[in-house]
Structures are given as C-alpha cells and as structure tokens.
C-alpha cells in the first residue's frame, strides 16, 4: 500500500481513491470543495462522486457527477462527459427516477456514439443489450454484448471484459442457452474471485451473479458465490459482518434464539442508506441474497437475523433487496407457525414493491383462508407468464399452486400446475436439480391425491433431489408424503420411519406446526390436541366435509341428524374463523386433520 508523501489534500484524495480508501478520499475532497476558491477538476469531481457513493452519501454523489459532466463539457471532453452521463443514468435509475435516467442515457449516446472506438462505449453496448433482451430480441442483445467484448479487449480493461462476459451470460440465459450462459458467468466470476477487478465492479458482479443464479435456480452456484460475496464484504478487522452492537457475527449467532423474534425496521418511509462511512455499501445487497440461501439450507434463525441486518444496511437505491429480505423472513416465520409475524413481513415486502407470493398464499392456506390462497397464487402466476426472466420464481408459484389446489380438493387444477412445473423443469438446458426436485414433489403429491400406485417413484426421486441439494425442510415435507404413500401401500414400518425422520428435522428447524403434524401421525392421532379448539366429534365432521361429504352424507356416516351436522358446522366455522366448506377443508389439510 502506497503512503502519500504530499500535503496537498487533493493529491492525498487521489491517492486514497487509487487505494479504494473511499471514506478518506471523501473527507479530503468534501472538505476541500467547501471553499469556493478551491476548485476541483472534472476528474476530481468524478472521484468525489465515487467516494460519496461508497461512503453512503448518494445525493452528494449525484450532485458531484452533475458538476463533473458540466466540467467535462466545458473542456470539450466528450468521452468524460459521456461516461459521467452514463453514470448519472445508472444512479437516477436506481433512485427510481426513470425520466431523468432516460434523459442522461440519451446524453451519453449523444456524447459517445459518433466517437472512434473507446472504452466508454462499453457501457452503451451493455445498456443496449439489456434493452434488447428485455424486449425478447436476443440476437440484437448478443450482438451488443459482443461489440462490448471487442471494445473491452481492445482497451485491455479487466473490469470491462468481466462486465462484457457477464452481460453476454445474462442474454444467453434469457434466451434459454443455460449451459453457455453459466460457462460465461463462471468466466466473469473467475476475475472477481481472483481479485483482478476494481471494488466497484467486484461488488457489482457479485450482486448481478447472485441474482442470476437464484433466478436460474442454480442453487449450488448461489451458495458458492453468496459465501464468497459475504467474505469480500466483511470488514477487514474481523473477517465477519458486525451485528448492530458492533460484535462479530459469531456472538450474534449465540443470541439468535431471542433476537430472531425482534421486529424488523419498518419501511413506512424510504429507508436511508445506513452504511457508516468507509463500510461496504454492497453488504446489505449481498446479505439479502444470503438470506434466501440460508433459508433453503435450513439455517432459519441466522437467516432471519441476517434479513434484519440487511434491511438496516441496504442502500436507498437498492430497496428491492430489503423487500427480498422481508419476504424471506416471512417464509421462515410462516413455517415456524408465527403467522402474525409472517403477515407483517410479507406486508413490508409488498410496501417496498415486491409481490409477496407464493408465501402469502401459503400463509392464507395455513390460516384456513382457501379462497384468498387460490386467488393470490393465480394472480401472481398471471403476472409472471414469461418464465425466462425468473425460472425459480415461476417454479415456486406452480409448486404452491399445486399445494393450494390439493388443499381445496381441486385435483385437476393441481395436476395442471404440476404438469406445467414438470414441463418447465424439462425445458431447461441441462440438469437443474432444484427445478427437478420441485417438479417431482408436485407430481408425487398429485399421484398420491389421485390414489395412483405410481406416487412412490416421483416422491423418492424428489427426496433424493432435496437431500442432494441439502435442503432439509422440503426433504422432510416429501417424507411426510412418502409416509402417506407407504401407508396406502400397506407398509406401516416404512411410513413410521419416514414420519420419525421428518419429525426430527422439523423439530431441529423449529417448524412447529409440521413437527406436531408428524407427531400426531406417528401416534395415530389418538393423543394429540386438536387444532382450533375442536372437539373430537367436530374433527370427525370436518374430516368428512374435507372428503367432499354433504350434510346428508355426514349424518348417515355418523348416525346423527342433519340438524346436528349443521350445528357442528356452525361451531367449526366459528372456532376456525372460516366462512365456507372450502376454507374449512383447506384448514383441515393444512393442520393435518386429513
């Protein structure tokens, strides 16, 4: 590390920026800039803009970049003005000001398009590729990324070359060319992990790659790059992200049992960037990705604590990351049986612009609100009709649609959703274990509901898939289905083995409702407390309702009058807070009564 030998604050700031000591550079340039007699050059204003962004002063970053653009323009430096214009486009887009962003992109093109080939034109090609890909014009997008690669190679910039590789991988993945796209992504990430790139591009590529891996349902890569990203984000003095009190993450993990139930920061007003000066502004974004990975791996207490921390750290121009963290926390809380807390977390995610599905639909199902569950997941599927953008997101919606349909005894609807999910998994270029496990789970659950003898095969494939991925909750859910299939086939010993294993996993994870259901099935239901304050007779009536029986059918089966059946139903609806037979049926399935 070089040591500055000059007392000139601007020279010292330039040296600090070269070392990526952004807080130091910001303090020096900010103090110097407060004196009107001390002017900054266009390049120094660009450094101030970068340093302000890294130090958490987003508004000052934009102001400094506007001044830099004016200074470049005054000097007739169109390359400098063009690059400043592109960064203003990027920053305004992140701040949710699309009109301003569009204007600055137009200016960037005006400054750069007619110039001889230059590195700054790489950013125009990257934007052109994004726009063409968004419109489904993959050939035009690929041509733009390849022009970007040629420019990057000509100027010898590792940053631009890695960005061009990543841009091409995004287009290939969107076009369904998964194998080629992931190979190029790995190429770009080699430069990241080797430390060959600037801090800005390193953080940028970590964020983009993590999003791509999850959208493409590549769980193995997501785990690998999430861990690497958090290592890169960690403060050098501890090697671990600090918790709110400044202690290391190891200390935080020791107190998670209580901390996991604390409230999240409320997003009623736009969340400010709360990263202290000198800390890594990518940390909150990378942590939000890590939350989803930890959730799948079953580290729920840590996932919820990390989600809370991500919401504190997230920059003002990355609120979608906070929304993702709230949503993931809602999923954890729902599966733990903390339904009110889950509703609050899903509500926060919605406030920040995320459709909280399918988690909210599954929450409504757990609450016995079947109509709301069906409507929610169907609307979310209608809004995400193109699977190319987010394969995993659509797959999860289809899996939830299968579960909800089975809960309301819509077996044909469940079969349609499972078939769509199977087709989506089969259409992927190359093997995608996460999609295959989701599809096999759905296919097996439908076969079980249809009382077909072929349910065991897809369920065993699904279990093997989840175990290979090391995703414990979904594996335990499949074991519950396998237990039912084994009992239907007359293999009681196998059923009890599956139930016992599932119960142990649920208890370890803290999935209280599922653990109780597994325990009840192990004991045959004879000693368990019935949910919702139901009596044994009311539970019998509810089971018959769930099997499709009319009041007359139930009266005949239980040798009671139809009037008594109606009275029981009124009591059931009141105790469960439901208003229809469909909602009562959904409650019965969600709480293991059927």
């Amino acid at each position: 590390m070089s040591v500055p030998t000059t007392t000139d604050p601007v020279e010292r700031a330039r040296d600090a920026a070269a070392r990526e000591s952004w807080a130091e550079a910001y303090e020096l340039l900010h103090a110097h800039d407060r004196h009107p007699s001390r002017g900054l050059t266009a390049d120094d204003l660009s450094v101030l803009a970068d340093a302000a962004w890294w130090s958490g002063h987003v508004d000052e970053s934009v102001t400094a970049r506007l001044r830099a653009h004016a200074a470049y323009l005054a000097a007739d430096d169109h390359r400098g003005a063009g690059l400043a214009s592109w960064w203003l486009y990027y920053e305004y887009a992140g701040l949710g000001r699309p009109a301003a962003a569009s204007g600055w992109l137009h200016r960037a093109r005006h400054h750069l398009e007619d110039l001889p080939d230059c590195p700054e034109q790489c950013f125009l090609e990257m934007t052109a590729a994004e726009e063409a890909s968004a419109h489904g014009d993959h050939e035009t997008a690929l041509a733009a990324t390849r022009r970007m690669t040629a420019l990057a190679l000509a100027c010898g910039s590792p940053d631009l070359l890695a960005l061009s590789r990543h841009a091409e991988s995004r287009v290939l993945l969107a076009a369904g060319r998964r194998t080629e796209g992931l190979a190029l992504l790995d190429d770009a990430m080699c430069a990241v992990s080797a430390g060959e790139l600037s801090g800005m591009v390193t953080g940028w590529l970590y964020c983009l790659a993590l999003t791509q891996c999850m959208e493409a349902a590549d769980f193995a890569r997501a785990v690998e790059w999430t861990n690497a990203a958090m290592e890169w984000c960690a403060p050098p003095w501890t090697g671990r992200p600090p918790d709110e009190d400044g202690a290391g993450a190891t200390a935080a993990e020791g107190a998670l049992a209580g901390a996991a139930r604390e409230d999240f920061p409320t997003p009623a007003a736009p969340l400010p960037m709360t990263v202290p000066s000198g800390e890594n502004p990518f940390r909150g974004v990378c942590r939000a990705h890590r939350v989803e990975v930890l959730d799948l791996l079953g580290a729920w207490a840590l996932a919820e604590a990390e989600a809370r921390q991500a919401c504190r750290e997230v920059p003002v121009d990355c609120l979608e990351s906070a929304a993702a963290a709230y949503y993931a926390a809602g999923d954890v809380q729902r599966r733990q049986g903390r339904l009110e807390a889950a509703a609050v977390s899903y509500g926060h995610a919605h406030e920040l612009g995320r459709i909280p599905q399918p988690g909210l639909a599954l929450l409504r199902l757990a609450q016995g609100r079947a109509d709301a569950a069906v409507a929610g997941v169907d609307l979310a599927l209608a809004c995400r009709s193109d699977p190319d953008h987010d394969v995993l997101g659509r797959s999860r919606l289809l899996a939830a649609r299968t579960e909800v349909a089975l809960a309301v005894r819509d077996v044909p609807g469940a079969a349609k959703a499972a078939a769509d999910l199977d087709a989506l998994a089969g259409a992927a270029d190359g093997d995608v274990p996460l999609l295959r496990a989701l599809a096999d789970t759905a296919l097996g659950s439908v076969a079980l509901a249809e009382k077909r003898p072929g349910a065991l095969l897809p369920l065993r494939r699904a279990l093997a898939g989840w175990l290979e991925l090391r995703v414990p909750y979904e594996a335990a859910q499949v074991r519950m289905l396998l237990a039912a299939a084994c009992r239907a086939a007359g293999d009681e010993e196998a059923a009890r083995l599956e139930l016992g294993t599932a119960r142990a996993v649920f208890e370890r994870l803290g999935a209280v409702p599922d653990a109780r259901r597994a325990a009840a099935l192990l004991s045959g239901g004879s000693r368990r407390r019935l949910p919702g304050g139901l009596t044994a007779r009311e539970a019998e009536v509810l089971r018959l309702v769930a099997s499709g029986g009319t009041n007359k059918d139930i009266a005949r089966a239980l040798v009671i009058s139809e009037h008594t059946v109606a009275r029981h139903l009124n009591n059931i609806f009141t105790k469960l807070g439901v208003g229809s037979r469909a909602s009562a049926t959904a409650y019965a399935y969600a709480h293991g009564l059927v």
Side-chain angles (χ1 to χ4, degrees), residues 417-437:
D420 289 347
L421 178 51
D422 185 43
L424 192 58
D429 176 20
D431 184 39
V432 190
L434 186 55
L435 295 187
R436 189 68 264 157

Side-chain angles (χ1 to χ4, degrees), residues 11 70 475:
E11 288 294 334

Side-chain angles (χ1 to χ4, degrees), residues 350 354-362 364 370-386 393-394 396-398 400-402 404 417:
H350 183 265
R354 176 173 180 137
I355 297 174
Q357 296 291 3
L360 185 58
L362 296 174
R364 297 304 179 220
D371 293 344
V374 172
V377 76
D378 281 350
L379 181 59
L381 276 167
C383 293
R384 199 179 301 198
S385 57
D386 181 5
R394 182 165 179 82
R396 283 173 161 167
L397 285 170
L398 288 169
R401 181 66 179 90
T402 306
V404 169

Side-chain angles (χ1 to χ4, degrees), residues 137-161:
D137 187 353
H138 302 309
E139 289 304 314
T140 299
L142 276 176
T145 62
R146 286 163 184 168
R147 286 194 298 271
M148 182 182 178
T149 300
L151 288 167
L153 287 169
C155 70
S157 167
D159 278 357
L160 293 177
L161 185 58

Side-chain angles (χ1 to χ4, degrees), residues 235-276:
W237 58 89
T238 65
R240 303 288 306 275
D243 61 23
E244 193 173 32
D245 298 323
T250 301
E253 289 165 18
L256 282 176
R261 297 181 184 273
E262 294 175 2
D263 290 335
F264 281 74
T266 176
L271 292 174
M273 184 174 184
T274 57
V275 180

Side-chain angles (χ1 to χ4, degrees), residues 455-531:
L456 279 170
L457 181 59
L459 289 175
R460 293 207 181 281
R461 282 201 312 261
L463 178 59
W466 292 121
L467 290 175
E468 183 180 351
L469 289 164
R470 300 184 182 181
V471 177
Y473 179 76
E474 280 71 10
Q477 290 279 32
V478 172
R479 288 189 187 278
M480 298 287 282
L481 295 169
L482 274 169
C486 289
R487 276 187 171 164
D491 191 345
E492 181 63 27
E493 182 179 3
R496 295 185 67 79
L497 284 172
E498 298 293 359
L499 288 170
T501 304
R503 177 185 180 182
V505 172
F506 290 141
E507 289 176 344
R508 176 173 59 80
L509 292 173
V512 176
D514 293 294
R516 287 176 178 164
R517 185 161 59 98
L521 290 169
L522 270 170
S523 64
S526 59
R527 294 187 298 276
R528 66 168 167 157
R529 178 183 295 178
L530 293 168

